Amino acid sequence: MKIAIGSDHVGLELKLTIAEFLKELGYEVDDFGPFSAERTDYPKYGKLVAQSVSSGSNDLGILICGTGVGISIAANKVKGIRAVVCSEPYSAKLSREHNNTNILAFGSRVIGSELAKMIVKEWLSASFEGGRHERRVNEIKAIEEQNLEVFEKLAK
Ligand code: RB5
């Protein structure tokens, strides 16, 4: 399994810690930067990681900025991306099982590295349950594609 990772300058240190952690767990890591602590803009890295997941070059993605908010908003603008911001493991797990999230984001100013590792582990261990959740994810896809006909047929 290949994991894309990216951050902004605020998330850089935690990104390096999480990249090492992922390698220890046996994942292949594709680091999209940044590679220095120079001030940068989070949308650039949100976009790069999201595009690599959306295109299938990587299976899943992890994004880190100060809060996880800006970088996840940027990622969610890329077609096919369902990015979640998590500060605790329960939402991370459920976001995979129910929402089939393909990008996990968190904030280096919000959580510490040990909690971040726990969240990453829960998220990666969980998988999409399908069933009734599949219809709901398909409704999200219909909104993304602005296919209101399909959306109306699916939505209860
Ligand atoms: C950078 O100062 C900060 O705005 C960024 O890391 C992130 O928290 C944005 O959502």
Side-chain angles (χ1 to χ4, degrees), residues 8-11 39-40 42 64-71 107-109:
D8 66 356
H9 55 292
V10 183
R39 192 178 293 269
T40 184
Y42 57 80
I64 308 160
C65 66
T67 57
V69 174
I71 206 157
S108 62
R109 286 173 171 160

